[in-house]
Structure formats: C-alpha cells, structure tokens
C-alpha cells in the first residue's frame, strides 16, 4: 500500500483494509481473563523503571499479585500478549524465555551499538584507550565480534547478565553466527 505521508494519500485505503481484516479476524473477539488484563497492566506499569522484566522473578511475582499463581497460565498470557504486540517474549531458548521486553526500543538501542556504520558511529580512540582496538577492527572489517567487544559496547545499555540474551537474540534472528 503506497502512502504519501506529506499529502496523506493512500491512508484511507490502508485504514479500510486494516479495519476489514480486523473484523474478519475471529481472534479479535476472543475473551481474555480480567486477571490477565491486570497482569498486563502491572507489566506496563513497570515501563518507567525498566526495559525488561524477568520471567523467573518479576513476572512470577506480578502474576501472584493479580491471582495468577500457575506458571503455565502466566506463560500462556505472555504468549497472547506477545502475539498481540503488547510486549516481546521469545521462547526458543531458556535465556530468551527468561526476558520479557516491555520497551522494544531497548532492543534497537542495544543492537544498533553493533549494527551500525563504524566509521560514523564509533569512536576509535575510545576502543584504543581500553585495549579493544583489534576487536573493533575485527568486528567492522571481518564481521568477527569478541565477547569483550560486545560487553564493552553494550555496557550502560544492558547489564552483563543480558549479554547472553542479546547473543541468543542475534543468533536466532541470524544477525550472528557462533564460530
């Protein structure tokens, strides 16, 4: 659907098609437990404090607060919320499964520290100063990033515990291949 944002051309056509598809989607009328909605509200209330929550700690506790004690029910609710685009919860590995992303921009910010134009966005002197000059060169010339390099560029944006999450995420989305 071509859209001209300047002239607002094509927007009405797109809106009509989206509305038509939504009316035809039976899952839209699916009833959701009030406890699930309370869980979603609790999860979204944490957005000002964190970019993500942990399944094993934060989500379990929030679930208990709203009367969802079953891990299976909590995970089923998260699957629905993920499917609807309300949060990001990937489950292909245990590392990915334990992180529930409530601010998707966090993923973009962290990944863009590595997926960028090194000539424009990287201060080479900074890497030279910390002894990662060769790692920087290998990353942007050969596509081989060391864990030390990734931990350094991601510090401040994610904790060391989340490095494995981002490595798994990049591997699962084919942005990384382990050698």
């Amino acid at each position: 659907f071509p859209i001209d944002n300047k002239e607002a051309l094509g927007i009405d056509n797109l809106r009509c098609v989206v509305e038509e598809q939504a009316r035809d989607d039976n899952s839209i009328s699916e009833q959701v437990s009030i406890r699930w909605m309370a869980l979603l509200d609790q999860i979204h209330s944490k957005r000002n404090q964190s970019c993500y929550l942990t399944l094993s700690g934060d989500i379990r506790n929030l679930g208990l607060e709203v009367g969802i004690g079953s891990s299976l029910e909590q995970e089923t609710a998260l699957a629905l919320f993920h499917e609807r685009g309300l949060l990001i919860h990937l489950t292909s590995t245990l590392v990915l499964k334990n992180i529930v992303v409530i601010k998707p921009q966090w993923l973009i910010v962290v990944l863009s520290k590595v997926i960028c134009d090194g000539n424009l966005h990287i201060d080479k002197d900074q890497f030279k100063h910390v002894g990662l000059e060769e790692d920087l060169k290998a990353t942007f010339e050969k596509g081989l990033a060391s864990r030390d390099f990734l931990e350094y560029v991601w510090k401040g944006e994610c904790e060391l515990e989340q490095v494995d999450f981002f490595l798994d995420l990049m591997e699962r989305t084919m942005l990384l291949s382990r050698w």
Side-chain angles (χ1 to χ4, degrees):
F1 294 96
I3 293 181
D4 181 346
N5 288 328
K6 213 173 196 181
E7 303 295 324
L9 297 174
I11 293 175
D12 289 333
N13 186 29
L14 177 61
R15 184 178 293 125
C16 288
V17 171
V18 169
E19 288 173 359
E20 184 180 311
Q21 292 297 315
R23 278 192 294 276
D24 292 343
D25 185 359
N26 292 332
S27 67
I28 295 295
S29 61
E30 182 180 328
Q31 292 193 4
V32 177
S33 160
I34 193 73
R35 292 180 303 152
W36 287 21
M37 295 308 298
L39 176 61
L40 181 61
D41 289 343
Q42 289 281 34
I43 290 170
H44 281 184
S45 74
K46 303 296 182 188
R47 282 183 168 171
N48 291 334
Q49 300 163 13
S50 182
C51 297
Y52 68 93
L53 299 173
T54 61
L55 178 66
S56 60
D58 303 319
I59 299 295
R60 297 281 181 248
N61 292 335
L62 293 175
L64 290 171
E65 286 177 22
V66 298
I68 305 174
S70 162
S71 296
L72 179 60
E73 186 178 358
Q74 290 175 4
E75 290 177 28
T76 304
L78 289 175
L80 177 71
F81 301 153
H82 173 81
E83 183 180 304
R84 296 287 181 233
L86 301 168
L87 50 76
I88 298 172
H89 185 229
L90 306 170
T91 58
S92 57
T93 69
L94 289 175
V95 172
L96 291 176
K97 185 177 181 177
N98 194 45
I99 300 290
V100 178
V101 179
I102 57 177
K103 278 189 179 176
Q105 185 65 30
W106 176 59
L107 299 176
I108 306 298
V109 168
V110 173
L111 292 176
S112 69
K113 300 286 185 181
V114 178
I115 304 170
C116 65
D117 184 339
N119 294 322
L120 296 175
H121 303 285
I122 300 290
D123 178 6
K124 294 177 183 168
D125 291 334
Q126 176 185 5
F127 287 89
K128 189 175 187 176
H129 179 72
V130 295
L132 291 172
E133 185 176 23
E134 289 302 314
D135 296 70
L136 175 68
K137 191 174 180 180
T139 299
F140 287 100
E141 289 180 10
K142 298 177 183 174
L144 300 172
S146 69
R147 186 176 181 102
D148 289 340
F149 173 81
L150 294 172
E151 287 177 1
Y152 181 76
V153 296
W154 288 338
K155 89 174 174 206
E157 300 298 340
C158 72
E159 300 167 26
L160 285 178
E161 298 85 44
Q162 280 70 57
V163 170
D164 287 330
F165 169 80
F166 280 101
L167 291 174
D168 263 12
L169 175 66
M170 290 177 71
E171 188 173 3
R172 298 289 172 205
T173 56
M174 292 193 235
L175 295 172
L176 175 137
S177 176
R178 296 185 195 250
W179 282 58

